[in-house]
Amino acid sequence: LGDGKWSILQGDDGQVHATSTLETSQAADLAARVRGVVLAGVPVTLDVKPPLPRSAVRAGRLLEARRQRARSPGFTRAGARVDEGARIGLTPERIALELGELAKGRHVVDACCGAGGNAIGFARAGCSVTAIELDAERLAMAKHNASLYGVSDRIEWICDDARNALAGHRGVDSLWFLDVPWLSPSTDSEAGANHDAMGELLHALLALRGPGQRTWAKVPAAFDPSITEASRVSAWFGTGDGDARRVKFLILDFQA
Ligand SMILES: C[S@@+](CC[C@H](N)C(=O)[O-])C[C@H]1O[C@@H](n2cnc3c(N)ncnc32)[C@H](O)[C@@H]1O
């Protein structure tokens, strides 16, 4: 929500209501940032009293549009290979490293590794990793990127459909990491209207879990976790100016 002294109440409807008195420019900034945002299946709505003057709304949107240019970097090392499709789902390096720290000591099975953002983050944190990817070209990018970060020896690569390969990698000591493809670039991922295609693959992979299989699923901020059996949901913010106050994605934790 940003600056301001917020009083936060959970209503009878289960929704969270936050109230604050803000400067006009702060309120306009917030209005620009939460515009169209859906969090965990719930649209975020903002009610400003008195209504914001048009000029303030415009200034807020302009500032936000400028800020959006400075988003968390994906890979920071020069020479990293990422195609347009992989860029959309790529976990920014710093966040991938933080997730790696949380997984420390485990073997991680990254079911849809893409260009390797998470696989490399886990490996850099010392985890051994099995990285599965359907698309051979993407897998080649991930391999190249892993060598750039000097972690190739910690990653086993499998080019296959995770629906075939994942079941062979069950284990109570391993962590399954599921980052299935996000929506197409033409669709606003924050509108949250249609996650069916993604949900289908996610559910298929979740169904492959054996007893005690610890699993994390990375899903868009708008994804409604209540349609899964996740026992814990955490929100991950970006690190750049343009996404530091934005939930970039959720991690659903399926505890063993
Ligand atoms: C969101 S991206 C993963 C991004 C990755 N975590 C990163 O940070 O770089 C999803 C990847 O899943 C791959 N994919 C799609 N369907 C798959 C399947 N059935 N099995 C394995 N990989 C699949 C896509 O080719 C895509 O590269």
Side-chain angles (χ1 to χ4, degrees):
L1 291 171
D3 301 333
K5 208 172 163 199
W6 291 90
S7 69
I8 302 198
L9 284 175
Q10 179 130 23
D12 293 338
D13 52 5
Q15 296 207 357
V16 177
H17 301 265
T19 315
S20 179
T21 302
L22 301 175
E23 298 290 333
T24 302
S25 60
Q26 287 175 330
D29 178 42
L30 183 59
R33 285 190 288 112
V34 302
R35 196 165 161 244
V37 169
V38 178
L39 274 186
V42 183
V44 178
T45 56
L46 185 74
D47 189 14
V48 185
K49 288 182 198 145
L52 289 165
R54 274 209 187 156
S55 55
V57 172
R58 243 182 273 124
R61 287 188 190 169
L62 189 65
L63 177 66
E64 178 59 11
R66 282 203 191 115
R67 227 191 251 134
Q68 286 295 320
R69 291 184 210 144
R71 296 198 174 212
S72 320
F75 291 115
T76 56
R77 293 214 179 151
R81 281 196 213 139
V82 182
D83 66 352
E84 201 40 47
R87 197 184 309 280
I88 298 165
L90 182 70
T91 303
E93 187 170 314
R94 252 186 58 195
I95 310 179
L97 275 172
E98 280 177 45
L99 286 168
E101 288 300 318
L102 293 179
K104 238 188 167 98
R106 285 176 178 268
H107 174 73
V108 181
V109 184
D110 185 350
C112 299
C113 79
N118 290 104
I120 293 167
F122 288 124
R124 287 176 76 194
C127 301
S128 60
V129 179
T130 299
I132 305 166
E133 169 60 47
L134 185 61
D135 181 324
E137 281 179 34
R138 284 274 161 79
L139 194 70
M141 284 176 210
K143 283 185 188 172
H144 164 86
N145 295 334
S147 70
L148 207 65
Y149 282 88
V151 290
S152 302
D153 58 338
R154 281 190 213 135
I155 309 180
E156 170 201 15
W157 306 100
I158 299 175
C159 188
D160 197 356
D161 189 322
R163 286 171 287 200
N164 300 326
L166 198 53
H169 291 83
R170 291 192 182 111
V172 286
D173 296 329
S174 70
L175 166 71
W176 280 10
F177 185 76
L178 314 179
D179 183 7
V180 304
W182 292 30
L183 296 176
S184 68
S186 59
T187 324
D188 180 358
S189 67
E190 283 177 339
N194 183 5
H195 291 292
D196 291 355
M198 186 189 72
E200 218 173 278
L201 180 57
L202 180 59
H203 283 287
L205 298 182
L206 286 171
L208 297 172
R209 302 167 65 227
Q213 182 64 63
R214 183 81 183 268
T215 304
W216 291 353
K218 177 186 158 212
V219 294
F223 187 84
D224 180 359
S226 69
I227 64 167
T228 69
E229 287 166 1
S231 51
R232 205 175 155 262
V233 180
S234 54
W236 289 75
F237 289 80
T239 55
D241 236 20
D243 54 13
R245 284 173 168 179
R246 230 161 232 279
V247 178
K248 282 196 88 65
F249 56 80
L250 308 175
I251 293 288
L252 314 185
D253 189 351
F254 299 79
Q255 301 267 357

